[in-house]
Amino acid sequence: VGFSHAWGEYKGGRWNRFEKIYPLDEGDSAAIRENIEGVKDIATIYETWGGGKVRYGNTSITGVQLSGCSENYHSIQGISIAEGRFVEAGDNVNALPVAVLSSKLKEDLFAAEEPIGKEIVVAARDRAAMETIVPEVRFIVVGWIKPRGASNKDERMRLFIPITTARYRLLGFTPWSGLDILVQAKST
């Protein structure tokens, strides 16, 4: 569930552009949980697609997908932690500058070096003027995830941060880009 991104929805074999977009907020998550039977869990997400720049020492990588997320996002998505931890509730409550790396980003940014506890610098593109990079924010790496396949070749360059940190420190106060909902199958 989400607001189906700005370009619209796929229907009838083609993309249809929406006339009006209705952003999501905290109330939507609560309303879904209260009013839809079988909802086990809901994770919130705010993502930029390829608009991030991440730097560690002299290594800088552009085109990183920045994913501000709730602490339960990894469990709903089936993301496994390789080392360290994922975003936690306290990180979101306090909008802490902590980061979890995709395995591809870890490999390309750190090579064989251990990333946990290291400081990285992250910048995002301004949503209003896509060519402008918002001032850099420093993050501490608290974990990295296992690759989904046998190799990193198909993994995306992705950085997971608390959704509150994304909204208040890095990307500006914007609506969520989606809700991932875990539902319990109805028993027959």
Side-chain angles (χ1 to χ4, degrees):
V1 173
F3 63 93
S4 298
H5 300 287
W7 54 82
E9 65 180 344
Y10 190 74
K11 192 173 184 182
R14 66 185 186 97
W15 280 99
N16 300 310
R17 186 164 176 78
F18 285 127
E19 294 297 317
K20 189 166 187 174
I21 297 169
Y22 298 94
L24 301 167
D25 62 24
E26 289 86 350
D28 295 312
S29 178
I32 290 168
R33 191 179 299 276
E34 292 169 13
N35 296 303
I36 298 177
E37 187 180 338
V39 173
K40 285 181 71 175
D41 205 358
I42 299 176
T44 53
I45 185 82
Y46 176 77
E47 296 184 304
T48 64
W49 291 90
K53 180 172 115 180
V54 180
R55 181 171 45 87
Y56 172 69
N58 294 326
T59 305
S60 185
I61 298 175
T62 58
V64 176
Q65 179 181 344
L66 303 176
S67 299
C69 54
S70 58
E71 58 276 1
N72 58 344
Y73 181 76
H74 73 295
S75 61
I76 288 179
Q77 285 293 316
I79 295 171
S80 299
I81 305 301
E83 193 171 326
R85 65 175 178 86
F86 200 73
V87 171
E88 295 178 345
D91 301 332
N92 268 310
V93 168
N94 297 303
L96 295 179
V98 296
V100 179
L101 312 171
S102 68
S103 56
K104 177 75 172 144
L105 183 59
K106 180 241 180 218
E107 181 181 286
D108 289 4
L109 198 60
F110 287 93
E113 191 175 345
E114 171 57 50
I116 307 293
K118 300 288 190 331
E119 183 180 84
I120 59 175
V121 179
V122 180
R125 293 197 181 278
D126 184 302
R127 292 190 61 161
M130 285 306 289
E131 70 280 351
T132 305
I133 295 285
V134 174
E136 297 177 331
V137 178
R138 297 179 185 286
F139 285 82
I140 299 297
V141 176
V142 295
W144 59 280
I145 65 172
K146 292 180 182 177
R148 290 208 182 217
S151 73
N152 273 348
K153 136 179 133 123
D154 295 325
E155 284 288 309
R156 287 183 279 179
M157 293 286 194
R158 196 166 180 191
L159 184 75
F160 300 93
I161 60 177
I163 195 166
T164 53
T165 307
R167 294 176 83 184
Y168 300 118
R169 292 186 180 206
L170 188 64
L171 304 171
F173 189 79
T174 57
W176 299 339
S177 58
L179 296 174
D180 286 4
I181 302 172
L182 182 65
V183 295
Q184 185 169 343
K186 197 173 190 177
S187 58
T188 55

